[in-house]
Amino acid sequence: MVKIHQPIGVMTDSFKLPLKEALRKAQEVGANGVQIYAVEGEMDPANLSSTARKELKSYIEDLGLEVSALVGDLAGHGFQDPEANPWKIEKSKRILDLALDLGSNIVTTHIGIVPNEDHPIYATMQRACEELSQYANSVGGHFAIETGPETSAHLKQFLDSLTGRGMAVNFDPANMVMVTGDDPVQGVYTLKDYIVHTHVKDGIRVREVDPREVYGMLGFEPMSHEKLAEMATDGPFKELPLGEGNVDFDNYFQALVDIGFNGYLTIEREVGTEPAEDIRKAVQFIKRYK
């Protein structure tokens, strides 16, 4: 069996607890780091003074944890809507600034489904992502696009059109299995130059589904995490505990080792009634490979 060395992260929001309780729970289940939503409420960058940022960073460090990444997913249609893009770009930059203050240089996000190059939305998304990429390049950070809405080959083509590695990849193997049917193991090799953060999640595809119905697109219902959780519970795909779905973790972890990935393996659990127990089991599942 492949031996892995990467640190283990957990998504604090998966615990469905107030932030500080979730941070303590992350320590309790044996994680090395945490990924935190930073879009609204107490974690909205506009609501955190420099003093509050320092205090939060100290609180996390005192628990023996670090921030693996922030989630800067502004939902809706990603960066497909030219009218919404200016505020979304500005807010995304502020979320990256917050990540840097908390000791991470990664913000994960959904940018919307990348259409074919001849689609008018393609150029809109490309302009927005180029601006974000250049900003991230200038501060030594990354906006990491979560895999799932399109195939890895198509996402690579889009990323190759941008400057530098400011736009990168948050690799989620379960999204590929559940939605596009793409092979996550091959996807790791395809996107190897861009992967800066990963999710550890499992699932199965129940039936074929139009990715636009899952992730939204202009003209379709916008993406929301509530809707995703609903679909992953009793819809065209099912999110399952690690090892119970169709992600081939032996070969997936081997691929990450092969490409020299040293970043976080972060557990995300979007469904289920006992998230803390599921996450604890997920940490143990990953530790079997260490």
Side-chain angles (χ1 to χ4, degrees):
M1 189 163 73
V2 61
K3 283 278 184 205
I4 60 173
H5 57 276
Q6 294 91 346
I8 300 171
V10 298
M11 183 89 85
T12 53
D13 284 68
S14 293
F15 288 115
K16 298 178 172 53
L17 293 168
L19 180 59
K20 288 195 171 173
E21 279 181 58
L23 291 168
R24 291 196 295 274
K25 190 63 80 173
Q27 178 202 42
E28 212 178 281
V29 300
N32 308 110
V34 287
Q35 185 180 7
I36 308 171
Y37 266 83
V39 170
E40 58 190 11
E42 63 180 323
M43 283 300 295
D44 187 320
N47 295 333
L48 279 165
S49 65
S50 59
T51 304
R53 294 174 189 215
K54 285 179 188 138
E55 285 170 357
L56 179 57
K57 187 169 187 275
S58 293
Y59 187 85
I60 292 166
E61 287 170 353
D62 288 348
L63 290 169
L65 300 168
E66 61 181 355
V67 176
S68 72
L70 294 183
V71 182
D73 184 358
L74 302 175
H77 295 296
F79 294 99
Q80 295 181 338
D81 181 353
E83 289 182 20
N85 281 353
W87 76 262
K88 284 190 167 184
I89 290 168
E90 189 57 34
K91 182 147 188 177
S92 296
K93 290 176 182 178
R94 301 294 74 81
I95 295 170
L96 181 54
D97 293 343
L98 174 60
L100 292 164
D101 286 343
L102 296 176
S104 174
N105 67 343
I106 299 167
V107 171
T108 69
T109 188
H110 281 278
I111 63 166
I113 298 170
V114 180
N116 291 327
E117 280 182 74
D118 56 0
H119 195 293
I121 288 174
Y122 187 92
T124 301
M125 294 179 74
Q126 197 178 37
R127 276 193 301 275
C129 290
E130 176 64 19
E131 184 175 342
L132 288 173
S133 192
Q134 290 196 20
Y135 183 75
N137 291 335
S138 75
V139 296
H142 303 283
F143 290 103
I145 301 166
E146 190 162 325
T147 53
E150 57 283 301
T151 65
S152 55
H154 189 57
L155 181 56
K156 179 184 185 296
Q157 196 179 24
F158 180 74
L159 288 165
D160 285 346
S161 77
L162 305 172
T163 305
R165 294 288 182 271
M167 289 306 284
V169 167
N170 174 44
F171 201 98
D172 188 317
N175 288 350
M176 296 175 127
V177 164
M178 294 189 297
V179 182
T180 56
D182 200 17
D183 176 7
V185 176
Q186 182 52 51
V188 169
Y189 296 114
T190 300
L191 291 165
K192 66 183 192 311
D193 295 333
Y194 293 102
I195 300 170
V196 295
H197 192 268
T198 70
H199 279 167
V200 188
K201 200 166 79 186
D202 206 353
I204 57 168
R205 193 181 192 187
V206 177
R207 62 178 185 273
E208 278 196 33
V209 61
D210 184 335
R212 294 174 299 182
E213 289 175 19
V214 181
Y215 293 107
M217 194 159 183
L218 282 181
F220 285 74
E221 194 182 320
M223 188 192 101
S224 77
H225 285 279
E226 293 74 26
K227 183 182 160 193
L228 280 178
E230 201 177 292
M231 291 179 104
T233 305
D234 189 26
F237 47 86
K238 274 191 168 58
E239 185 191 313
L240 296 169
L242 298 191
E244 293 182 22
N246 288 341
V247 174
D248 177 355
F249 281 104
D250 288 359
N251 286 314
Y252 173 63
F253 287 148
Q254 182 66 61
L256 290 173
V257 169
D258 288 349
I259 67 164
F261 174 72
N262 294 315
Y264 265 86
L265 307 170
T266 294
I267 296 157
E268 179 183 29
R269 187 76 173 127
E270 294 191 282
V271 302
T273 54
E274 294 185 47
E277 190 51 35
D278 290 344
I279 292 164
R280 190 189 306 278
K281 286 179 182 168
V283 170
Q284 295 311 313
F285 178 90
I286 299 170
K287 283 185 172 174
R288 294 211 302 263
Y289 288 87
K290 287 185 175 277

